[in-house]
Amino acid sequence: MFSRIFSGLDSYHVFYYFLLYSFIGWCWEVFYVYLRTGKVVNRGFLSGPFCPIYGFGASAVYIVLDPVANNNFAIFFGGMILATVLEYFTGTIMENLFHAKWWDYSDIKFNLKGRICLPVSIGWGFFSVIMMRIMHPAVKSVVAVLPHAVGNVLMYIIIGYFVADTISAAKAAFNLDKALARMEQAREELREKIENTKLYESKEELLAKIEATQREFEEFLKEKETLMDAKKAFYKEEISDRIEALSEKYPEAAQRTEEAIKNFKEGQAEFKEKLAKAGEELRLKHRAYVELMKPTAMQKRLLNAYPDLKSIKHNEALTRIREEMLKKVKEAKKARKEINKEN
């Protein structure tokens, strides 16, 4: 029923070996991150509990190295080479597709473009030996327990799931890159608007508030507008008093004085209108910028799954999103502590 494809294996067994190794790889990644951070994180590109790169790597090792299965030395170096090549090309493809580095070994000695490094490659070698000697016999036993009729149906269901999950994750990754680009554009537009406006004093203070929350930014604008209105009102009263005093002293200039007062008031009204318009434009641009700093649930999962993810083109924007996510986590923890204290 199932065609023979590699090393006497049929597609049925290759698929389930791939599935189990993908799951084992995911378990290892979750455990490794837990040891490093004390947090349980859903690792991997997919939403489900699978890391396909481990499935592909393990499949390549047991298929290609089956002829030397009794030679640990050959398994070690063969597995090291196979897994390293796979890791390098997977990293290259993902970087070119999504314009991001999903892992980075740049800080580790003997690395190549941050995609692979010698210590990790050596680890793949040891893993290959452990896999062939201990894990693969156990994996084969687990697959053998599953009735073929049930396994056949499940295989197509799981393939459908994998396709859907992969499309969803790829879409989220593509959209994340686009969102970062829009975010940088929105920030630049906001910065230019602040730089070009002639109605606000202390532009440096406004520029420093770009990364503030929407509420903080709008309160700051309101504070500045109120201060400017107060100053204008003061000058208006002072100038009006002086013009009226001059009018009394020089009656012949009364008509011109009235015209000057009228023009001054009109100028005041025009200034207030321009100030309100500029303030509204700044609020809208800042609101748009803040909204772009809110990743979707799927994008947030990817960012949590890959804490070392770096955007090739928009890494500053990505850093700001991470800072915002961390800020939200801290606020949530603080709120929970306050609720617990009350209870």
Side-chain angles (χ1 to χ4, degrees), residues 29-82:
E29 287 284 337
V30 171
F31 178 67
Y32 176 69
V33 171
Y34 178 77
L35 289 179
R36 284 178 57 193
T37 65
K39 298 177 182 178
V40 177
V41 178
N42 180 13
R43 291 281 287 172
F45 190 69
L46 303 180
S47 296
F50 303 102
C51 285
I53 191 171
Y54 283 88
F56 285 118
S59 299
V61 167
Y62 73 73
I63 290 172
V64 176
L65 301 181
D66 183 65
V68 293
N70 295 322
N71 188 329
N72 288 339
F73 184 81
I75 292 172
F76 176 86
F77 282 100
M80 182 176 73
I81 293 169
L82 286 170

Side-chain angles (χ1 to χ4, degrees), residues 190 194 206-207 209-222 279 282-283 286-287:
L190 177 59
I194 293 173
L206 274 174
L207 289 169
K209 287 289 181 179
I210 285 180
E211 305 304 331
T213 64
Q214 185 178 327
R215 182 179 177 182
E216 289 171 347
F217 186 82
E218 292 187 1
E219 286 179 352
F220 182 77
L221 273 183
K222 187 176 180 180
L282 287 174
R283 287 183 181 90
H286 186 266
R287 200 172 299 158

Side-chain angles (χ1 to χ4, degrees), residues 177-236:
D177 184 58
K178 291 177 182 177
L180 293 175
R182 290 196 299 270
M183 181 178 161
E184 286 196 345
Q185 183 181 353
R187 188 180 191 279
E188 183 60 21
E189 288 176 358
L190 177 59
R191 188 194 64 77
E192 286 180 0
K193 185 66 181 175
I194 293 173
E195 288 282 4
N196 294 331
T197 184
K198 297 177 181 179
L199 300 176
Y200 285 91
E201 300 172 354
S202 307
K203 290 181 184 178
E204 292 75 14
E205 290 182 81
L206 274 174
L207 289 169
K209 287 289 181 179
I210 285 180
E211 305 304 331
T213 64
Q214 185 178 327
R215 182 179 177 182
E216 289 171 347
F217 186 82
E218 292 187 1
E219 286 179 352
F220 182 77
L221 273 183
K222 187 176 180 180
E223 179 187 325
K224 287 296 177 184
E225 288 167 1
T226 302
L227 181 61
M228 292 177 75
D229 277 344
K231 285 183 178 179
K232 292 294 179 182
F234 172 77
Y235 291 134
K236 176 182 176 181

Side-chain angles (χ1 to χ4, degrees), residues 148-184:
H148 270 232
V150 176
N152 189 26
V153 175
L154 279 176
M155 181 172 70
Y156 291 107
I157 293 173
I158 295 169
I159 287 173
Y161 152 74
F162 261 97
V163 171
D165 200 352
T166 301
I167 291 173
S168 175
K171 184 178 177 181
F174 279 124
N175 289 340
L176 176 61
D177 184 58
K178 291 177 182 177
L180 293 175
R182 290 196 299 270
M183 181 178 161
E184 286 196 345

